[in-house]
Amino acid sequence: MISELNSTTMNRKYLFLAIALTTLTFIGCAKTYKVKLESLTPEQKTKLTETVKTYDEKIKNFAPLKLKEGEKMPEEYSDLNKPPVDWFLEKSKAERRLGEIDEAISTLKKSLNYYEVSSASWLNLGAIYSDVGECGNSEKYYIKPYEAFGQAGVEYIQYAARCYLNQGDKNKVQELIDLYKKDGGTNIDPEIKDYLENNTTTK
């Protein structure tokens, strides 16, 4: 009997240890971005935190909007059955200023669950990934307006090129500028042009 109890106790200990190690492994694998935080006053931090909470609650508690006869659709809505994309943008903007980069990215990606084509969400994701030096992801989102709208979104290709410029990846900068010029882009960023011609940067 004592032997059974000891065995059961040991098995429970090993099970607990296995669960703990698995949990730590997942925590360790979670992406956490380190960025230089904006210098904020306590009042600014409080206000931004409240902004995040406000929009989070609005998104979570959203219910399709029903208009009474004669009522006009509120300006912030583009679809009465979806939370306005601006709610996600404002929440993400506040999270980004607070240095909560993972959360800001998550918020913008959630907006794309509702709005598959959202230039504002794509461009904000491109900017965040550029800030943290993930040029592959930055390019992925900066190039989406071009993929969706053609020449109307061609200028954003240069935004992706700038991320690679900051990392000194001349081949990728050249590749993106070639794509930019191929679809009619002519106004090449002077810093990018100088980098490609002289391998110099103002950074």
Side-chain angles (χ1 to χ4, degrees):
M1 183 69 175
I2 293 173
S3 175
E4 285 181 16
L5 284 172
N6 286 340
S7 176
T8 303
T9 302
M10 288 299 292
N11 285 338
R12 285 177 179 167
K13 284 181 178 178
Y14 284 125
L15 179 61
F16 175 78
L17 181 60
I19 292 170
L21 286 172
T22 302
T23 303
L24 286 172
T25 300
F26 279 114
I27 291 171
C29 290
K31 191 74 174 179
T32 302
Y33 294 100
K34 303 293 183 185
V35 294
K36 185 177 180 181
L37 293 179
E38 183 180 344
S39 181
L40 300 170
T41 65
E43 292 78 13
Q44 288 174 317
K45 287 182 182 178
T46 298
K47 188 173 181 180
L48 289 168
T49 301
E50 288 173 354
T51 297
V52 170
K53 184 178 179 182
T54 296
Y55 283 107
D56 188 52
E57 289 176 353
K58 290 175 78 168
I59 292 166
K60 286 179 179 176
N61 298 324
F62 172 78
L65 196 62
K66 294 181 181 179
L67 298 180
K68 295 177 182 177
E69 189 176 346
E71 280 187 323
K72 291 183 178 180
M73 183 186 292
E75 199 170 308
E76 65 180 332
Y77 283 77
S78 59
D79 187 324
L80 296 177
N81 296 307
K82 299 176 183 179
V85 69
D86 282 352
W87 292 1
F88 296 95
L89 298 175
E90 290 300 322
K91 180 173 181 270
S92 175
K93 184 168 70 175
E95 289 166 334
R96 189 176 172 188
R97 290 190 65 196
L98 287 165
E100 298 170 358
I101 303 304
D102 300 89
E103 291 83 352
I105 289 171
S106 177
T107 296
L108 290 169
K109 287 184 175 179
K110 283 177 184 174
S111 77
L112 294 173
N113 292 334
Y114 292 96
Y115 301 91
E116 292 182 7
V117 177
S118 171
S119 290
S121 296
W122 292 335
L123 296 176
N124 276 280
L125 278 164
I128 291 174
Y129 278 121
S130 182
D131 284 348
V132 297
E134 286 198 9
C135 294
N137 279 323
S138 180
E139 177 186 353
K140 173 184 173 181
Y141 288 104
Y142 270 142
I143 210 165
K144 280 188 178 291
Y146 168 71
E147 292 172 339
F149 309 116
Q151 197 170 31
V154 75
E155 288 300 327
Y156 300 113
I157 293 173
Q158 292 203 86
Y159 288 45
R162 178 167 285 280
C163 183
Y164 289 110
L165 181 153
N166 292 336
Q167 291 194 348
D169 190 338
K170 191 171 184 177
N171 289 336
K172 281 298 298 184
V173 175
Q174 186 67 66
E175 177 187 318
L176 288 167
I177 292 303
D178 287 345
L179 177 61
Y180 169 73
K181 291 192 291 186
K182 180 183 176 182
D183 206 9
T186 57
N187 189 27
I188 299 175
D189 182 307
E191 187 178 346
I192 292 176
K193 186 176 181 181
D194 187 52
Y195 174 71
L196 291 174
E197 291 176 354
N198 306 306
N199 206 33
T200 59
T201 175
T202 57
K203 278 187 71 67

